[in-house]
Amino acid sequence: MDSVYSVTDIMKFLPHRYPFILVDRILELEPGKRVKALKNVTINEPFFQGHFPRNPIMPGVLILEAMAQAGGVLVIESLPPEKRGSLVYFMGIDKARFRQPVVPGDQLIFDIEIIKSRGRAAKLAGVASVDGKRVAEAEVMATIGEQS
């Protein structure tokens, strides 16, 4: 099933707030399977002040954080209804690769799928792309915490 979530909806799932919420919209979500999310990259992002002043490039770690946040929404929406108030914590990352810079004006699209889920842990595979070209990829591990 395809679902669209606005940033306001996303903030119901994630504890992140400005300037650290890095997902603007969920375009598609299939609980237990996959999510497609969007991040509009603008020159107004606070990290561009120092990374780098005359050549603004989105830091790779923030691309991975955005990927983890989109994956967090997928994990939460994949939980049974009685556990939906739980927080999801980023545990680790493997196979991270950066293919090309992300700059102001780019629209990042994240395609993330659950590759393994057991108990309170999940492993997700993610790809970030701009204009259909892969800019980054990684496997992200998460754990489900206590309900808030």
Side-chain angles (χ1 to χ4, degrees), residues 10-17 21 23 69-70 72-73 76 87:
I10 294 165
M11 290 191 303
K12 294 174 187 171
F13 296 99
L14 301 178
H16 306 78
R17 297 296 179 262
I21 185 132
V23 178
Q69 288 180 19
V73 174
I76 291 167
L87 288 176

Side-chain angles (χ1 to χ4, degrees), residues 5 8 13 38 45-46 60 112 121 137 146:
Y5 298 66
T8 308
F13 296 99
L38 173 146
E45 309 282 356
I112 300 158
E137 61 202 55
E146 298 300 316

Side-chain angles (χ1 to χ4, degrees), residues 30-105:
E30 292 180 66
K33 294 184 181 183
R34 67 179 192 88
V35 67
K36 183 176 208 157
L38 173 146
K39 162 75 176 143
N40 290 308
V41 181
T42 73
I43 193 63
N44 298 324
E45 309 282 356
F47 50 80
F48 284 135
Q49 291 177 8
H51 200 269
F52 301 104
R54 283 180 275 204
N55 186 22
I57 297 170
M58 184 172 183
V61 295
L62 295 181
I63 296 170
L64 297 178
E65 173 64 28
M67 190 180 293
Q69 288 180 19
V73 174
L74 172 60
V75 170
I76 291 167
E77 281 289 81
S78 300
L79 293 171
E82 65 273 8
K83 296 197 176 199
R84 293 270 168 91
S86 301
L87 288 176
V88 175
Y89 297 101
F90 184 22
M91 283 180 27
I93 193 147
D94 288 330
K95 302 180 183 175
R97 296 287 179 267
F98 302 98
R99 307 288 179 198
Q100 70 182 51
V102 175
V103 298

